[in-house]
Amino acid sequence: MLESPVQLTVRKTRSAGKRPDRALDVCPGKHPQEIAAGDTPADRSPPAYWRSLQEWAGTEEFEHFLHREFPAAASEWKDASPLSRRNFLKVMGASLALAGLNAGCDIRGPQEKIVPYVVPPELQQPAKTLQYATAMPFGGYGKGLLVQSFAGRPIKVEGNPKHPGSLGATDPFAQASVLELYDPDRSKTVLAGGEVNTWAVLLRALRERLDAKKASGGAGVRILTETVTSPTLAEQIRRFLAQYPKAKWHQYEPVNRDNITAGTMQAFGRPLNPVYHFGRAACIVSLDANFLYEDPGSLRYARQFIDGRRLRVTAPESASTQPATDEAAAFREAPQASAGANGGAWRETLGEGDAPQPAAGNEFLSNRLYVAESTPTITGAMADNRLRVPPSQVGAVAYALASALKVGAASAPPPPLAADLSRWVQAVADDLRDTAARHKGAALVVAGPNQPPSIHALAHAINAALGAVGVTVVYTEPAEAWPEPGKPVDKLASLRELAVDMSRAPGEASAVDTLIIIGGNPAYSAPANLDFAKLLLDLSSRRKGGEGRDRDQLVNLTVHLGLHYDETGFNCMWHVPQAHYLESWGDVRAYHGLVSIIQPLIQPLYAGHTAIDMMSALLGEPDVSGYEAVRRYWRVQRQAPATAQGTGQAPGTGQAPGTGQAPGTGQAPGTGQAPGQTLSRQAADALAQPDPAFELFWERSLQDGVVEGTELPRVQAAVVPNLAVPAPSTPGAGGLEVSFRPDPSVWDGRFANNGWLQELPKPLTKLTWDNAVYVSPATAQKLGVVIGQHDKASLVRLRYRGRALPNDQFPQEVPVWVWPGHPDGSVTIHLGYGRSRAGRVAGLLGDTPPRGFNAFALADSDFPHFGAGLEIEVTGETARLACTQDHQLLEGRDIARVHKVSDIVGNAPGHPPDKSTNVAERGHGEGEHVSLYPEYDYSKGHAWGMAIDMNACIGCNACTVACQAENNIAVVGPEQVLNGREMHWIRIDTYYRGDPAGDPEAVFQPMLCQHCENAPCEVVCPVAATTHSHEGLNEMTYNRCVGTRYCSNNCPYKVRRFNFLQYQDKTTPVLALMRNPSVTVRDRGVMEKCTYCVQRLNGTRIETEKLKAQLSEATTEQERQEKGQKIHELMGHLQTACQQSCPTEAIVFGDMNYIDADRRKPWVTRLKEQPIHYGVLTELNTQPRTTYLPKLVNANPAIGTPETDAPGNRHPSNEARA
Amino acid sequence: MTQTVEHNTAADDEAGPRSPVIGPGHTYASVTDQISAIVLTRRTPKGWLIMFGVASVLLTIFMVSVFELLRKGTGVWGLNIPVGWAFDITNFVWWVGIGHAGTLISAILLLLRQEWRTSINRFAEAMTLFAVACAGMFPLLHLGRPWLFYWLMPYPNVMSLLPQFRSPLEWDVFAVSTYATVSALFWYVGLIPDLATLRDRTRSGIAQKVYGLLAMGWRGSAMHWHRYEVAYLLLAGLATPLVVSVHTVVSFDFAVSQVPGWHTTIFPPYFVAGAVFSGFAMVATLAIPIRWYYGLEDFITMRHLNNMAKVMLATGLIVIYGYSTEWFAAFYSGNVYEIAVVKNRFFGPYKLEYWALLLCNGLIPQLFWFHRFRTSIPVLFTVSIIINVGMWLERFIIIVTSLSRDYLPSSWDMFYPTIWDWGLYIGSIGLFLWLLLLFIRFLPMISVFEMRELVSRQRGHVAEGPSEAGGRIDKVDGLEGATA
């Protein structure tokens, strides 16, 4: 069925959002003999036929038919023996066929259309990519995206510049979601008891069950979702709850924001959603908050944070027009979001008014970040002053800080701190107070979601005391939807309640007998002490009167909707394949509440259903598609204000639809409507009428990717007057503290089967494919584990609160990895590994052993984030972990430079601050070029170049995955990574400076092909497979490469990657859909490397050349202007994949010869003109086109200057050479 | 066998420069008999069969390794980024180095009229040829796509694309292929009179035809001898610069690059010296057991062994000079990367290999300062094997340690050989031995006619006294053709 994969993508989605007509699709691949097998009258028309087959599908004959049709495959699914790859593919093909059978032709088989479109799809041209706006739900919150579609299949995800939570940037998760869509291990068919079944049979079962429950008001019915911010879904669930008042809605999300919400409950007496403005903060304190990576608003926060410390490139004209006004006032009037600022090479910093402006034109003002953290994070790596403390000590630091600032909430005497800690706290407090006073509230304290609510309350109190509320932090209504508005759901408590009810005997009052799990994988991700998987299995398999084998004997109904047939799906009676967000209609709120419509890019590959579909089914409206449900919700929402006028609500409040109600307000659409009822006749009639205004709104919302005006309203919140936070208690003695954190790559395990993310080197540790017990060097020494040996990790046994790893289920001992900068006396364990039913990448019982170990098997629902009492027993054995950077010290080499801000400030640009930072005197940079050959003149045509601002690089890895997606880069697997054969074209080199056993500082250096003008790789290639272009690109001709690897040996930057084996999977058909058609898929034996996304450059070149030709033929001035402007537009939007994904615009690429419409030099050139700009290893006379700006550290001198003069920053050879 | 051993003790006592290069009492006939008997009349000895069996097993390992490599790709080896070359190029350089002794012995010593070369030159030339065959295998097999190796040749093609002549790998193609061609010609031309002897002496019809064909109608006429002499001298003249050029070009693979630890001007002379060093060690390693087994002590005398040990000592010293130059240059330059390379070699993760190399190539060959050790068969044999190991380690150290830690510490990584790395290496030794054993069995491993020439000279020596020893004796007069 897969030989012509393109046909899987028939559904055409359009920005205009016309509903693709499914009824037009023919039913291919259905052979007459199948019809005969069902003993169906042959003369039935197909739709009737399929409908009736579905009706029959649950019958014995149907089961028999399935087994006869695919006897081998059908039996194999039940076989516990390992499946061979070959068999797996065979079975996969079979299940696809079955999926088509079940879902009434959602999957198209081999079908041939030779008739051209009667109505061609809008804008669709062969071989041309189109972009559609959508949003990716992640942890319940949405990230605005633009997804590139080629021939009807999504191939690349980009950020949506119009979305304030993205600003055109993305994170690794969004980038890798394309692979998630095409994951060959996704579940492909409805399963009942592990056997192939149909959606229709499930619908019937659900209907029967719910009809029976009608009388009891839905007692025993439970819905378990993840975090929900989708207004449509929330409305549906609430409608369901209104129909079945005794049914309950539980929520569980292992990595959640409950502490944040609970913190606002404590501080303000009501749940609120804090929204930060890091760009306006001159002094920021993070209390274990990884706000640059782990927050729903991280992309925006990272951009704001960096804009607050970016070395402003001289733009005298703009600087002089910048009025030196009262900064704080400027902040308050600052635009909410400079949406659309993502203008390619011409981007200026995000909303100049968004950051504290220096009084004088060119003065560089850097914010200062203090981080007290229990696990090294990228936020900690960006800190000017970092404090490593065990997780329980963060509270003590916060309390001491509040005390030092004389915040009323911290009334009790603070717990005693070590001398250096209290000195740190005092210095931070002084700085906060001074900054807040000087810049009118431009200070900010942020607490992390793993810290208890009291710490958050303290942070809010401190912010209020500093006058930061309204400046650097604002509060909105919460974005999450809860069963009862204003009553936040504690996810863990909710799950615990469900678990207790599930364990009740049948017949008890609150016993569960119907459980619908919509998304999520609680059987894996619930803390071990809840034993959720077992409860779920017991619930699913409880039978009438003992041991009947008949499915009809089952008394409970458990349904799981998920992307994979995972641990939860396995333990449920029913499993329904979920549609990926790129296949779904839906909506979702961003970090500050703005709604985006999720629109599909492709028809569901495997007949998946969305959460909205599932709720529609539960509501008894299975024919309402996701598309209709979303549209109906928003149409009703838009009518609501009009209705409201009549019901006495103040008209003209200026609230756009959706904003008037927090999603948790529990109001059903259409205010006049009684909840729980289906639409009134009148309303239904109204909806049936065409509404041009709504269509306009709908099209604009789809096109922009945001629903305008749906940000949540700001709340003027005041701290509860008598707020008194108790002083944190010290943790119980005995054992080590353990901190459970989401994994930077696979998060809570949802991305475990995603090879791109598994192979993504985790920030700082550079580990791939595994998690580990992370300890500091000192703790490692105490434990007696292996330190500092190549790839080697000691294996240990863990005991924590009565649970142990290894245990019966996970018999593997767990590795210990030494992490410089980790606090002593505590350990960190990343979640998301040890999956037993994820797939062939992360672990599949009986086929692939799990990668890593399951931290949830150790976790405790009472201490979900951290706790004391971990015991480690060292076994003396070792294992090898796949780490991509074994060596993280600079060895005295001048590669990754760090400067003190104090060296920069006060020095006019063009006049290097002092000798130590004077590039020329150190013998680097744009020095004399020595060559026997005449210099090539690049001044004609394009001259591509890149500047990377290490001061802006936060090490988030988005560029690495973006490059992987753009350039069809293969995943090689853990063994190959261990061999040093990872294929990433851009990597984030991470170096530590200072004492690795103490408090080292980390510096990130994105490293990719430097496109040397004098490239060492080119001269040594015997077959001229790598050559130089007249535009300065170092080009790689894959077809010419014979694979001597000499070029890689001679590359001082080691950015070339070799296909040592056949890494590209060319046999799995679905992966062929994923590849970027503009980039060659490389085979074994061929060298590859960064091309500066030459396919994008050529695309733009072709377009601009066409325009230039038209320009020369243009007759009117207006036409000339038009064409000229278009050329500027194209050139301005030209971006490499890494640049486009970068949240902080650390990567700037462009044509160095290009002069824009305003006669300005390109951004990249202006960066390259900075006096502190430098090239890596330019002493080799390589003349790289990729160059760097150093990292700038703005440490508080009262705490102690970080080691900017550490050996890593000097270069003895130059002194000798000079 | 006992007889020859006894006989040999007499020769052992004299290994000085004037000591004979052929045992006493030999006539033209005895020389011809003894050497050609190995090929023609003696039964294939059991020892040869055993050795051939061993070599065949190793050759099978070679073929399996090549098959696996071609089936799966270069990734079956332990290579990675940054270590893009390891065993493959180590073996290449090692084998090319070994090949050097043959040409040096044949051509340079011929031109320098070193008559002691005669009994070992044929054998050394064959060794050269087989070593170059082994060596040539590796640059082909190390390619990611070996089936496209011909893209390195400048041939007219539809792509209108020539190779890239700035690449040292391209220079290698010419250097090695020229070397292989000239070596093969030199060896074959030198064989022709002996092939004629075999043709005339064999009783087997097939052998007669084959040898006859190979002998190209050699009848030993004066004209033949004259032309032979001219051709041989010309070829020797051609081969002589190649001895220097091949390893110089091979060293350019490294010296021309900018990898710290490779980018060194000392490499060309140091590589040539190293090549001669390892080449002579290999000749000694092979000559000693063969001489003992076939009872050729009269032809390969103690003087030969003594001389070879001296060459090894001299070239070994040059190699040590090369090492110390690297150390000095690194610290004198003050270049952090070069200093780091030296430190890394002494104290880094490959320090054991480096110290072993210094022991094998630096310390142990110093035994050859002493006459006692130079003339002790067990010491010579052991040391020559140690030198072979040491020279292999040297190439490994140069290639792998330099690559594994170059400029950016972020990219540093280790190379660990896999079973297929070892398989191909050991297998290539098998290929070498297999070819060598066939050569020993089917061709005269010592040049018969040149030995007869020596006999003639020996006679002259006895008759006319030592002053005439270096005198030229006309081959045409001294021998009655190959059919004697």
Side-chain angles (χ1 to χ4, degrees), chain A residues 164-229:
Chain A
S166 154
L167 298 168
T170 42
D171 57 16
F173 307 116
Q175 287 291 346
S177 64
V178 185
L179 180 58
E180 190 183 38
L181 167 69
Y182 295 112
D183 183 353
D185 291 342
R186 272 178 63 189
S187 77
K188 299 176 182 71
T189 174
V190 176
L191 297 172
E195 289 174 34
V196 171
N197 214 303
T198 72
W199 173 244
V201 177
L202 171 63
L203 285 185
R204 197 178 61 188
L206 279 173
R207 204 63 261 150
E208 280 169 6
R209 174 60 58 110
L210 289 174
D211 286 348
K213 287 281 177 187
K214 203 111 209 179
S216 63
V221 177
R222 304 297 170 94
I223 295 174
L224 176 60
T225 66
E226 298 180 277
T227 304
V228 173
T229 64

Side-chain angles (χ1 to χ4, degrees), chain A residues 631-632 635-636 639 643 673 679-692 694-695:
Chain A
R631 266 174 65 94
R632 187 186 289 178
R635 193 153 165 197
V636 170
Q639 286 167 349
T643 326
Q673 200 182 313
L679 290 173
S680 68
R681 202 185 165 77
Q682 193 189 357
D685 285 349
L687 285 178
Q689 298 299 317
D691 178 355
F694 174 74
E695 294 304 329

Side-chain angles (χ1 to χ4, degrees), chain A residues 1106-1120:
Chain A
K1106 271 154 62 181
L1107 284 168
K1108 275 179 195 163
Q1110 292 166 6
L1111 185 69
S1112 62
E1113 289 164 10
T1115 45
T1116 65
E1117 181 60 28
Q1118 191 198 348
E1119 200 180 339
R1120 250 196 298 279

Side-chain angles (χ1 to χ4, degrees), chain B residues 391-428:
Chain B
M391 284 311 291
W392 189 87
L393 281 174
E394 181 197 295
R395 276 64 180 255
F396 178 82
I397 286 289
I398 288 174
I399 293 168
V400 174
T401 63
S402 308
L403 286 176
S404 74
R405 295 193 165 186
D406 70 340
Y407 290 100
L408 298 190
S410 65
S411 300
W412 292 3
D413 209 344
M414 293 287 290
F415 166 80
Y416 298 109
T418 65
I419 184 172
W420 300 113
D421 278 304
W422 287 112
L424 202 64
Y425 174 44
I426 292 166
S428 73

Side-chain angles (χ1 to χ4, degrees), chain A residues 888-1155:
Chain A
Q888 295 191 288
L889 295 176
L890 277 165
E891 301 289 330
R893 301 178 177 192
D894 181 32
I895 293 162
R897 285 189 191 167
V898 181
H899 290 319
K900 285 183 258 183
V901 165
S902 54
D903 288 343
I904 314 285
V905 174
N907 289 285
H911 297 279
D914 63 39
K915 215 171 170 180
S916 67
T917 50
N918 184 334
V919 174
E921 288 199 45
R922 293 163 68 166
H924 281 254
E926 304 296 307
E928 49 179 321
H929 296 158
V930 185
S931 178
L932 287 174
Y933 301 97
E935 293 274 323
Y936 186 84
D937 180 13
Y938 290 108
S939 64
K940 299 187 179 57
H942 304 290
W944 307 113
M946 183 179 277
I948 297 179
D949 188 354
M950 284 161 57
N951 190 42
C953 176
I954 59 170
C956 70
N957 275 335
C959 49
T960 307
V961 193
C963 177
Q964 190 152 25
E966 171 76 19
N967 292 303
N968 300 333
I969 296 172
V971 173
V972 298
E975 291 78 21
Q976 295 296 312
V977 175
L978 259 176
N979 268 344
R981 295 170 179 175
E982 64 277 2
M983 298 298 284
H984 296 137
W985 285 3
I986 178 169
R987 56 175 202 258
I988 311 291
D989 284 351
T990 305
Y991 297 106
Y992 286 115
R993 305 177 327 121
D995 178 13
D999 274 304
E1001 282 176 32
V1003 50
F1004 300 116
Q1005 183 171 49
M1007 185 52 68
L1008 64 165
C1009 179
Q1010 307 277 301
H1011 291 271
C1012 311
E1013 283 180 17
N1014 202 359
C1017 52
E1018 287 168 15
V1019 284
V1020 299
C1021 176
V1023 291
T1026 183
T1027 48
H1028 221 70
S1029 87
H1030 60 282
E1031 296 174 351
L1033 294 185
N1034 170 238
E1035 292 179 333
M1036 187 69 217
T1037 313
Y1038 304 124
N1039 278 348
R1040 180 68 177 166
C1041 178
V1042 296
T1044 67
R1045 304 181 293 287
Y1046 199 174
C1047 52
S1048 169
N1049 290 344
N1050 209 28
C1051 172
Y1053 310 98
K1054 290 289 174 283
V1055 290
R1056 290 176 157 265
R1057 296 286 176 258
F1058 188 64
N1059 288 278
F1060 284 97
L1061 298 169
Q1062 179 62 45
Y1063 291 136
Q1064 291 281 5
D1065 179 352
K1066 290 186 145 180
T1067 50
T1068 308
V1070 72
L1071 293 178
L1073 302 181
M1074 183 182 71
R1075 303 223 160 86
N1076 183 351
S1078 313
V1079 179
T1080 312
V1081 176
R1082 285 81 56 188
D1083 276 346
R1084 88 175 222 219
V1086 170
M1087 191 62 77
E1088 58 183 72
K1089 64 159 194 87
C1090 159
T1091 62
Y1092 272 168
C1093 287
V1094 70
Q1095 66 281 5
R1096 292 183 175 208
L1097 307 188
N1098 287 338
T1100 302
R1101 187 210 325 277
I1102 291 165
E1103 291 306 314
T1104 50
E1105 294 300 322
K1106 271 154 62 181
L1107 284 168
K1108 275 179 195 163
Q1110 292 166 6
L1111 185 69
S1112 62
E1113 289 164 10
T1115 45
T1116 65
E1117 181 60 28
Q1118 191 198 348
E1119 200 180 339
R1120 250 196 298 279
Q1121 264 182 6
E1122 212 170 83
K1123 303 287 178 205
Q1125 200 182 343
K1126 261 193 182 161
I1127 292 176
H1128 286 306
E1129 219 168 85
L1130 277 171
M1131 289 299 291
H1133 282 91
L1134 176 58
Q1135 286 173 302
T1136 61
C1138 52
Q1139 175 188 21
Q1140 190 163 9
S1141 68
C1142 181
T1144 59
E1145 301 178 304
I1147 301 173
V1148 178
F1149 173 84
D1151 175 4
M1152 301 189 294
N1153 286 345
Y1154 186 63
I1155 303 293

